[in-house]
């Protein structure tokens, strides 16, 4: 599943500051809970869809933020090791972008 | 905020069976929590993005499901009251679709 | 390929006025041609991507417009024939929405 | 409008081979023309939407392809000039990705 060896997994340090990401994910979790509550209380469908669009945008904001951090850290670091290392990292990033644009 | 009077909010009954939706939202909430954990543990960025794409797809599946229920219930019920009522409901649905396609 | 018999294909009349749609598609065709020219002249990649985003938005605007017309005409007309006819039309619309949200 | 001075515009050479891109844009232009024809002939709305989804996917394929070429050429070349140059290129790429994910 993981694209890297598990031993390296906790040491990427590609995120300048993870606190804002954690806060955003906390808020997204709350949005998901709020939408479940709206469904349970049979709130008006269109109002629920509005909340779902907001959640989707929030999640995509986290994704593009992480991708930016990834390009600015992992890819640049790899570029210092050589073109092949950097190209491999960029290919991974491109695949992730494809999935984001599609999802 | 709400597009309908609050008093009517709990009586839409447009969802045939809300249990599967609640289960899906529960799972989405869990996905959000899992992504937060991955960020906190500084897992590999690309792996996190893969999980974010999965969450986005899951949320959009709920959205299109709700929209389908909305069209099949609210819009058809409104059609029985007359074209004006139905057109108003459809306009709301179209606006929601625009937001979904954009988000 | 077609979801309806070919003989009926020219008589849907679901569009109030097709002139604005034809103008928008003409403009989109021009946008596609402009992007090809930018690629041929090796313009700056980011500028090309900006134009591609504009084309995508324009195309999606046509899609949601057509969908709105479809719901307001085909679905409402079908609703007058009975629930089964309307439900079949709505199912088609939902499938199209799924494809749009995904694409 | 342009993110670079016009004089430099024709010398990027970031695309390994522009022929396949030009062929894809040619096909997309043809798809746009085909959709206009379907609207003019009032083909079934859902069939038109299917073609619009296909065009959208084709356009996004060009976008992610160009982005990949951009990262592999412009960003890597900039990385050799120094971190600041590379970071500026990546920021532009991130902004373009945001627009793509949103559109």
């Amino acid at each position: 599943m993981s694209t890297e060896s598990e031993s390296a997994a906790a040491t990427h340090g590609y995120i300048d500051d993870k606190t804002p990401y954690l806060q955003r994910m906390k808020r997204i979790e709350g949005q998901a809970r709020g939408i479940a509550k709206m469904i349970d209380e049979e709130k008006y469908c269109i109002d629920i869809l509005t909340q779902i669009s907001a959640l989707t945008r929030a999640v995509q904001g986290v994704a593009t933020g992480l991708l930016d951090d990834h390009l600015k850290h992992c890819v640049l670091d790899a570029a210092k090791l050589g073109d092949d290392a950097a190209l491999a990292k960029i290919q991974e990033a491109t695949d992730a972008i494809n999935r984001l644009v599609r999802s």
Side-chain angles (χ1 to χ4, degrees), chain A residues 4-101:
Chain A
E4 288 214 334
S5 71
E6 210 46 44
S7 62
T11 57
H12 291 100
Y14 59 87
I15 303 175
D16 287 319
D17 180 3
K18 61 188 178 186
T19 312
Y21 284 113
L22 292 176
Q23 286 169 339
R24 285 158 86 177
M25 287 311 305
K26 200 87 202 155
R27 204 157 33 213
I28 287 165
E29 207 190 309
Q31 285 176 287
R33 203 158 31 229
I35 291 165
K37 191 164 175 291
M38 288 177 88
I39 293 172
D40 194 36
E41 295 174 353
E42 298 185 27
K43 296 288 186 199
Y44 189 50
C45 171
I46 299 295
D47 293 334
I48 302 177
L49 291 175
T50 301
Q51 295 309 314
I52 288 180
S53 289
L55 184 154
T56 304
R57 266 196 310 281
V59 168
Q60 289 178 334
V62 170
T64 51
L66 286 173
L67 193 60
D68 186 54
D69 275 328
H70 177 73
L71 293 171
K72 287 183 180 153
H73 290 83
C74 298
V75 171
L76 278 203
D77 287 351
K80 281 157 197 158
L81 299 177
D83 276 4
D84 285 354
L87 289 173
K89 289 285 175 199
I90 289 173
Q91 189 56 54
E92 279 182 3
T94 296
D95 293 343
I97 294 165
N98 279 336
R99 286 191 297 269
L100 283 178
V101 170

